[in-house]
Amino acid sequence: VLDATATMTDPSESAHTGHEGAAPAKLVEVVRLSTQQFIDVNAAVKANYHPYLGCVSGPDQGAMGVHYVNLDLVGDGELDASRPEALIYEPSDRGLRLVGVEFIVEAATWLAHHSAPPVLEGQTFQFIDRPNRYGLPAHFELHVWAWRDSPNGAFVDWNTRVTCEGQ
């Protein structure tokens, strides 16, 4: 069971080192700057982000983590690099640790005004049709691993360095 009141108290835990070496993509930097306030999951809850579906893991490709979704942002049909629709946390024995975000827009809403998938800071969204394992309508999504490096890149769905084992 996840506890939204659990916070990181060890400064080394909230330092969130990552993306060492080459400079990260602009979108990763924008996401880091705009979501630093949500390192503490309680701040996310106060900003209307709420857990959705528990911790999402894959059979062999790593995990996504626990999505805290702001349904108002999902439903507005807008994309803003500084306002992700979902914040992603990894459960651990020390609480929930921010690892990334997901940008989400319903396909019907987007395609009513656009003829191509969304692109944010040069990153093209992936189309997820219905039915899907999340029970969501068809949508476009883009994960950004801004707080936890992913060996397969900053914009893949699954991060092999994220786990649900700490829940």
Side-chain angles (χ1 to χ4, degrees), residues 28-145:
V28 172
E29 286 297 317
V30 169
V31 166
R32 273 202 204 151
L33 287 172
S34 61
T35 60
Q36 186 169 356
Q37 64 186 317
F38 301 123
I39 287 173
D40 180 342
V41 70
N42 293 307
V45 172
K46 287 178 185 172
N48 205 27
Y49 286 90
H50 302 286
Y52 184 78
L53 294 179
C55 197
V56 179
S57 65
D60 60 350
Q61 62 267 63
M64 290 184 195
V66 180
H67 292 65
Y68 274 65
V69 178
N70 183 323
L71 292 176
D72 293 334
L73 295 177
V74 172
D76 69 7
E78 301 292 322
L79 293 174
D80 179 342
S82 66
R83 296 178 57 214
E85 285 75 15
L87 304 169
I88 305 171
Y89 293 87
E90 178 182 44
S92 75
D93 58 353
R94 294 185 178 196
L96 294 171
R97 180 177 177 160
L98 183 62
V99 293
V101 305
E102 185 176 4
F103 293 96
I104 307 161
V105 63
E106 289 184 7
T109 303
W110 183 261
L111 294 172
H113 304 284
H114 304 88
S115 60
V119 177
L120 198 57
E121 297 294 342
Q123 301 301 319
T124 302
F125 283 51
Q126 179 176 311
F127 177 71
I128 307 296
D129 206 351
R130 184 175 188 171
N132 53 65
R133 73 186 268 185
Y134 313 107
L136 297 173
H139 61 281
F140 292 101
E141 57 88 9
L142 176 66
H143 285 86
V144 180
W145 300 107

